[in-house]
Amino acid sequence: MNNITTLRELKQSGYKSRSVKEELRENLIKQLQQKENGFEGIIGFEDTVMPDLQTAILSRHNILLLGLRGQAKTRIARLMVNLLDEFVPYIAGSELFDDPMEPISWFARNEIETKGDDTQIAWLHRSERYTEKLATPDVTVADLIGDVDPIKAATMKLTYSDERVIHFGLIPRAHRGIFVINELPDLQARIQVALFNILQEKDIQIRGFKLRLPLDIQFVFTANPEDYTNRGSIVTPLKDRIESQILTHYPRTVEISRQITQQEAKLSKEQKATVEADDLVKDLVEQIAFEARNSEYIDKKSGVSARLTISAYENLISNAERRMIINREKNTFVRISDFLGVIPAITGKIELVYEGELEGPAKVANILVGKAIKTLLLNYFPEPEKAKKSKKPNPYQEIISWFSAGNNISIIDDLPNQEYKKLLLSVPGLKDLVKKNHPSLTENNQLLLMEFVLHGLAEFSQVNKGYLDNGYSFSDMFDSLFNMKKDDDLDFDDRY
């Protein structure tokens, strides 16, 4: 139909107008009947958020997506565009993209009045029917709704009572589309009040100029819970006018979180081809976020964004790639020691409570990595504490005894693959432990688990783990306690 260029041709085609909400509703019904997924890339919401969202669309509701940061609220809003018709007709030259059958602006009404069925028709693609505005304290009513333009009035010799002197804001220009306001509580209360009439009475008021303008808009608002910041909240009458409030959430399992990270992480073809990442390190990245969300050092009201794991995984791969380039190797694999490179991705994405501030962001990030290792060790090996107390032979005894005899190793970040292998094989009992619990592994995976055991034993206080400028050192637990330097606690933070 987008070959139609006049109002006459449009009428002859049998075209019927639909409101945006009807359009979304009818296209969603088709999608559900055909069992299609219109929200590609949204993972983990299939049984929670998506049914509520679909119900709201079927009910023709304006929507508030409420949840902590990094819960795909904006992405969901953007994907709603896929439920719009691919093209819709509008009166050519209209700044409000007026429906030819139901014009609302002075320009559109005048075009039809003067040209009749010869009025020119243009077509608007659904990608142009989406408008998004981030709510900030400096947003004004003029930005959102509009203002009187004195220059236009003077140029066209019009009085201020003529609607043609109005310069329309973002919301009227989103007519026949989806309008999204992100972080709604950050919008000043007086600006939120200005939205009342648009949502309910369908008119706009600009500097005392009241104009009946039946805008056809699907509103979507996003917000963090009201107690997240002291910057503001959603005024109660506005919340009352938003028909559906939908709660979003973080991934419920490591597996779902991992799918999201793998989907979103931006890796080059070279990185994918040359850097091997085992399932263990992928799960460790996700476990860090789960530990952070339950950490006593981190503000739970703030949340821990999915962007943390995405950035952390990208850093992890890049850290291994950097070592490979320095050592002029053709390929490599991610080691546990590469998690040193993940620290900068964590520190900027967590909000600390008072206790966390005392520890410092870098130390808290290191604690989170350690807790993730401790949690996942039990999925791969026996629990060291129970093994120590058990009447059966301790599978870790040979390793612990070697360190107790005064031996130690340092795993440096830039260690070439062969030296890394040689170093881990020098610890008696380490390879045998891995082979016993995981008999069929590639050499790279075997070496990874060998290092993983050392870090795990350190988290269970069986051996000591020290922080070097560019790696980790492992030694006897008791020897390190008696020889601890006064400034040992500062070593890690000094690097950052």
Short mmCIF file of all heavy atoms in Angstrom, two decimals, residues 425-462:
data_model
loop_
_atom_site.label_atom_id
_atom_site.label_comp_id
_atom_site.label_asym_id
_atom_site.label_seq_id
_atom_site.Cartn_x
_atom_site.Cartn_y
_atom_site.Cartn_z
N LEU A 425 52.45 -28.11 37.31
CA LEU A 425 52.86 -29.52 37.44
C LEU A 425 53.88 -29.72 38.55
O LEU A 425 54.09 -30.85 39.02
CB LEU A 425 53.42 -30.03 36.11
CG LEU A 425 52.39 -30.22 34.98
CD1 LEU A 425 53.10 -30.56 33.67
CD2 LEU A 425 51.38 -31.30 35.34
N SER A 426 54.49 -28.62 38.97
CA SER A 426 55.49 -28.74 40.04
C SER A 426 54.86 -28.95 41.42
O SER A 426 55.54 -29.28 42.38
CB SER A 426 56.38 -27.47 40.08
OG SER A 426 55.63 -26.36 40.54
N VAL A 427 53.54 -28.74 41.51
CA VAL A 427 52.85 -28.94 42.79
C VAL A 427 52.39 -30.39 42.86
O VAL A 427 51.49 -30.80 42.13
CB VAL A 427 51.64 -27.99 42.92
CG1 VAL A 427 50.96 -28.21 44.28
CG2 VAL A 427 52.07 -26.54 42.76
N PRO A 428 52.99 -31.22 43.69
CA PRO A 428 52.64 -32.66 43.75
C PRO A 428 51.19 -32.86 44.19
O PRO A 428 50.69 -32.15 45.06
CB PRO A 428 53.63 -33.23 44.76
CG PRO A 428 54.17 -32.09 45.52
CD PRO A 428 54.06 -30.88 44.65
N GLY A 429 50.54 -33.81 43.57
CA GLY A 429 49.17 -34.16 43.93
C GLY A 429 48.10 -33.34 43.23
O GLY A 429 46.92 -33.72 43.21
N LEU A 430 48.49 -32.22 42.62
CA LEU A 430 47.51 -31.31 42.01
C LEU A 430 46.90 -31.93 40.74
O LEU A 430 45.67 -31.97 40.58
CB LEU A 430 48.19 -29.97 41.69
CG LEU A 430 47.28 -28.79 41.32
CD1 LEU A 430 46.23 -28.55 42.38
CD2 LEU A 430 48.12 -27.53 41.11
N LYS A 431 47.76 -32.44 39.88
CA LYS A 431 47.27 -33.05 38.64
C LYS A 431 46.46 -34.32 38.93
O LYS A 431 45.41 -34.56 38.31
CB LYS A 431 48.45 -33.37 37.72
CG LYS A 431 48.01 -33.93 36.37
CD LYS A 431 49.21 -34.20 35.46
CE LYS A 431 48.74 -34.78 34.13
NZ LYS A 431 49.88 -35.04 33.22
N ASP A 432 46.94 -35.11 39.90
CA ASP A 432 46.24 -36.36 40.25
C ASP A 432 44.82 -36.08 40.78
O ASP A 432 43.88 -36.80 40.46
CB ASP A 432 47.04 -37.15 41.30
CG ASP A 432 48.36 -37.66 40.74
OD1 ASP A 432 48.45 -37.80 39.50
OD2 ASP A 432 49.28 -37.91 41.54
N LEU A 433 44.69 -35.03 41.57
CA LEU A 433 43.39 -34.65 42.11
C LEU A 433 42.41 -34.31 40.99
O LEU A 433 41.26 -34.75 40.99
CB LEU A 433 43.55 -33.46 43.07
CG LEU A 433 42.24 -32.87 43.62
CD1 LEU A 433 41.59 -33.83 44.60
CD2 LEU A 433 42.49 -31.51 44.27
N VAL A 434 42.90 -33.51 40.03
CA VAL A 434 42.04 -33.09 38.90
C VAL A 434 41.65 -34.30 38.05
O VAL A 434 40.49 -34.47 37.67
CB VAL A 434 42.75 -32.01 38.06
CG1 VAL A 434 41.98 -31.73 36.77
CG2 VAL A 434 42.92 -30.73 38.87
N LYS A 435 42.64 -35.17 37.76
CA LYS A 435 42.37 -36.34 36.91
C LYS A 435 41.41 -37.32 37.58
O LYS A 435 40.57 -37.93 36.92
CB LYS A 435 43.69 -37.06 36.58
CG LYS A 435 44.52 -36.35 35.54
CD LYS A 435 45.65 -37.20 35.02
CE LYS A 435 45.14 -38.18 33.98
NZ LYS A 435 46.24 -38.91 33.31
N LYS A 436 41.49 -37.42 38.89
CA LYS A 436 40.62 -38.32 39.62
C LYS A 436 39.16 -37.85 39.56
O LYS A 436 38.23 -38.65 39.39
CB LYS A 436 41.08 -38.43 41.08
CG LYS A 436 40.23 -39.41 41.90
CD LYS A 436 40.71 -39.47 43.34
CE LYS A 436 39.83 -40.41 44.17
NZ LYS A 436 40.24 -40.44 45.59
N ASN A 437 38.95 -36.56 39.69
CA ASN A 437 37.59 -36.02 39.70
C ASN A 437 37.06 -35.72 38.30
O ASN A 437 35.85 -35.70 38.09
CB ASN A 437 37.55 -34.74 40.55
CG ASN A 437 37.65 -35.02 42.03
OD1 ASN A 437 36.66 -35.28 42.69
ND2 ASN A 437 38.87 -34.97 42.57
N HIS A 438 37.98 -35.47 37.35
CA HIS A 438 37.58 -35.15 35.97
C HIS A 438 38.54 -35.86 35.02
O HIS A 438 39.48 -35.26 34.49
CB HIS A 438 37.60 -33.64 35.75
CG HIS A 438 36.72 -32.89 36.71
ND1 HIS A 438 35.36 -32.74 36.52
CD2 HIS A 438 37.02 -32.28 37.89
CE1 HIS A 438 34.86 -32.06 37.54
NE2 HIS A 438 35.84 -31.76 38.38
N PRO A 439 38.32 -37.16 34.78
CA PRO A 439 39.29 -37.97 34.02
C PRO A 439 39.45 -37.61 32.54
O PRO A 439 40.52 -37.77 31.99
CB PRO A 439 38.76 -39.40 34.16
CG PRO A 439 37.33 -39.25 34.57
CD PRO A 439 37.20 -37.97 35.29
N SER A 440 38.40 -37.10 31.91
CA SER A 440 38.51 -36.84 30.45
C SER A 440 38.43 -35.35 30.16
O SER A 440 37.38 -34.79 29.87
CB SER A 440 37.39 -37.58 29.70
OG SER A 440 36.13 -37.27 30.26
N LEU A 441 39.58 -34.69 30.28
CA LEU A 441 39.67 -33.26 30.02
C LEU A 441 40.79 -32.98 29.02
O LEU A 441 41.76 -33.73 28.94
CB LEU A 441 39.98 -32.49 31.31
CG LEU A 441 38.88 -32.38 32.38
CD1 LEU A 441 39.44 -31.67 33.60
CD2 LEU A 441 37.66 -31.65 31.87
N THR A 442 40.64 -31.87 28.29
CA THR A 442 41.75 -31.43 27.44
C THR A 442 42.85 -30.89 28.35
O THR A 442 42.60 -30.60 29.53
CB THR A 442 41.30 -30.32 26.48
OG1 THR A 442 40.91 -29.16 27.26
CG2 THR A 442 40.12 -30.77 25.62
N GLU A 443 44.04 -30.75 27.81
CA GLU A 443 45.16 -30.26 28.63
C GLU A 443 44.88 -28.87 29.18
O GLU A 443 45.16 -28.57 30.34
CB GLU A 443 46.44 -30.25 27.79
CG GLU A 443 47.67 -29.84 28.63
CD GLU A 443 48.95 -29.85 27.82
OE1 GLU A 443 49.15 -28.89 27.03
OE2 GLU A 443 49.72 -30.79 27.97
N ASN A 444 44.31 -27.99 28.33
CA ASN A 444 44.01 -26.63 28.79
C ASN A 444 43.03 -26.63 29.95
O ASN A 444 43.22 -25.92 30.94
CB ASN A 444 43.44 -25.80 27.63
CG ASN A 444 44.49 -25.46 26.59
OD1 ASN A 444 45.68 -25.66 26.81
ND2 ASN A 444 44.07 -24.93 25.45
N ASN A 445 41.97 -27.43 29.83
CA ASN A 445 40.97 -27.51 30.91
C ASN A 445 41.56 -28.10 32.18
O ASN A 445 41.21 -27.69 33.29
CB ASN A 445 39.77 -28.35 30.46
CG ASN A 445 38.94 -27.64 29.40
OD1 ASN A 445 39.09 -26.44 29.18
ND2 ASN A 445 38.07 -28.36 28.73
N GLN A 446 42.46 -29.04 31.99
CA GLN A 446 43.13 -29.66 33.14
C GLN A 446 43.97 -28.62 33.89
O GLN A 446 43.91 -28.54 35.13
CB GLN A 446 44.01 -30.80 32.63
CG GLN A 446 44.46 -31.78 33.70
CD GLN A 446 45.24 -32.92 33.09
OE1 GLN A 446 46.40 -32.76 32.72
NE2 GLN A 446 44.60 -34.08 32.96
N LEU A 447 44.71 -27.83 33.16
CA LEU A 447 45.55 -26.80 33.78
C LEU A 447 44.68 -25.74 34.47
O LEU A 447 45.02 -25.26 35.55
CB LEU A 447 46.45 -26.14 32.73
CG LEU A 447 47.54 -27.04 32.13
CD1 LEU A 447 48.23 -26.35 30.95
CD2 LEU A 447 48.58 -27.42 33.19
N LEU A 448 43.58 -25.40 33.82
CA LEU A 448 42.67 -24.41 34.41
C LEU A 448 42.14 -24.91 35.76
O LEU A 448 42.14 -24.17 36.75
CB LEU A 448 41.49 -24.15 33.45
CG LEU A 448 40.36 -23.28 34.00
CD1 LEU A 448 40.83 -21.86 34.23
CD2 LEU A 448 39.16 -23.29 33.06
N LEU A 449 41.71 -26.15 35.81
CA LEU A 449 41.19 -26.71 37.06
C LEU A 449 42.28 -26.86 38.12
O LEU A 449 42.00 -26.73 39.32
CB LEU A 449 40.52 -28.06 36.81
CG LEU A 449 39.12 -28.02 36.17
CD1 LEU A 449 38.56 -29.42 36.01
CD2 LEU A 449 38.16 -27.17 36.99
N MET A 450 43.51 -27.10 37.69
CA MET A 450 44.61 -27.17 38.66
C MET A 450 44.80 -25.83 39.35
O MET A 450 44.97 -25.77 40.58
CB MET A 450 45.90 -27.63 37.94
CG MET A 450 45.88 -29.11 37.55
SD MET A 450 47.20 -29.56 36.39
CE MET A 450 48.64 -29.47 37.47
N GLU A 451 44.77 -24.77 38.57
CA GLU A 451 44.89 -23.43 39.19
C GLU A 451 43.65 -23.13 40.03
O GLU A 451 43.74 -22.54 41.11
CB GLU A 451 45.08 -22.35 38.12
CG GLU A 451 45.34 -20.98 38.75
CD GLU A 451 45.32 -19.83 37.77
OE1 GLU A 451 45.19 -20.06 36.54
OE2 GLU A 451 45.42 -18.67 38.24
N PHE A 452 42.49 -23.54 39.54
CA PHE A 452 41.23 -23.35 40.26
C PHE A 452 41.28 -23.97 41.65
O PHE A 452 40.79 -23.39 42.63
CB PHE A 452 40.10 -23.94 39.42
CG PHE A 452 38.72 -23.78 40.00
CD1 PHE A 452 38.24 -22.53 40.36
CD2 PHE A 452 37.89 -24.88 40.16
CE1 PHE A 452 36.95 -22.38 40.88
CE2 PHE A 452 36.61 -24.75 40.67
CZ PHE A 452 36.14 -23.49 41.03
N VAL A 453 41.88 -25.16 41.76
CA VAL A 453 42.01 -25.84 43.05
C VAL A 453 42.83 -25.00 44.02
O VAL A 453 42.48 -24.85 45.20
CB VAL A 453 42.65 -27.24 42.87
CG1 VAL A 453 43.06 -27.83 44.22
CG2 VAL A 453 41.69 -28.18 42.16
N LEU A 454 43.94 -24.43 43.54
CA LEU A 454 44.79 -23.60 44.41
C LEU A 454 44.00 -22.39 44.95
O LEU A 454 44.06 -22.08 46.14
CB LEU A 454 46.02 -23.12 43.65
CG LEU A 454 47.02 -24.20 43.23
CD1 LEU A 454 48.19 -23.58 42.47
CD2 LEU A 454 47.54 -24.97 44.45
N HIS A 455 43.26 -21.72 44.05
CA HIS A 455 42.46 -20.57 44.49
C HIS A 455 41.36 -21.02 45.46
O HIS A 455 41.06 -20.32 46.43
CB HIS A 455 41.83 -19.87 43.28
CG HIS A 455 42.81 -19.07 42.47
ND1 HIS A 455 43.03 -17.73 42.69
CD2 HIS A 455 43.62 -19.43 41.44
CE1 HIS A 455 43.94 -17.28 41.83
NE2 HIS A 455 44.31 -18.29 41.06
N GLY A 456 40.76 -22.18 45.17
CA GLY A 456 39.72 -22.71 46.04
C GLY A 456 40.24 -23.05 47.42
O GLY A 456 39.59 -22.73 48.44
N LEU A 457 41.39 -23.68 47.49
CA LEU A 457 42.00 -24.01 48.79
C LEU A 457 42.30 -22.74 49.58
O LEU A 457 42.18 -22.71 50.81
CB LEU A 457 43.27 -24.83 48.58
CG LEU A 457 43.06 -26.28 48.13
CD1 LEU A 457 44.41 -26.93 47.81
CD2 LEU A 457 42.33 -27.09 49.21
N ALA A 458 42.71 -21.69 48.88
CA ALA A 458 42.99 -20.41 49.55
C ALA A 458 41.70 -19.84 50.14
O ALA A 458 41.71 -19.29 51.25
CB ALA A 458 43.61 -19.43 48.56
N GLU A 459 40.57 -19.96 49.40
CA GLU A 459 39.31 -19.43 49.90
C GLU A 459 38.81 -20.22 51.12
O GLU A 459 38.10 -19.68 51.96
CB GLU A 459 38.24 -19.44 48.80
CG GLU A 459 38.52 -18.51 47.63
CD GLU A 459 38.74 -17.06 48.07
OE1 GLU A 459 38.02 -16.61 48.98
OE2 GLU A 459 39.63 -16.40 47.51
N PHE A 460 39.18 -21.48 51.20
CA PHE A 460 38.81 -22.31 52.36
C PHE A 460 39.91 -22.30 53.43
O PHE A 460 39.91 -23.13 54.34
CB PHE A 460 38.52 -23.74 51.91
CG PHE A 460 37.15 -23.93 51.34
CD1 PHE A 460 36.93 -23.87 49.97
CD2 PHE A 460 36.06 -24.15 52.17
CE1 PHE A 460 35.66 -24.04 49.43
CE2 PHE A 460 34.78 -24.32 51.64
CZ PHE A 460 34.58 -24.26 50.27
N SER A 461 40.86 -21.36 53.28
CA SER A 461 41.93 -21.15 54.27
C SER A 461 42.80 -22.38 54.48
O SER A 461 43.26 -22.66 55.59
CB SER A 461 41.33 -20.71 55.62
OG SER A 461 40.58 -19.54 55.46
N GLN A 462 43.05 -23.13 53.41
CA GLN A 462 43.93 -24.29 53.48
C GLN A 462 45.35 -23.93 53.04
O GLN A 462 46.32 -24.52 53.49
CB GLN A 462 43.40 -25.43 52.59
CG GLN A 462 41.96 -25.83 52.89
CD GLN A 462 41.80 -26.50 54.24
OE1 GLN A 462 42.45 -27.51 54.52
NE2 GLN A 462 40.95 -25.94 55.08
#
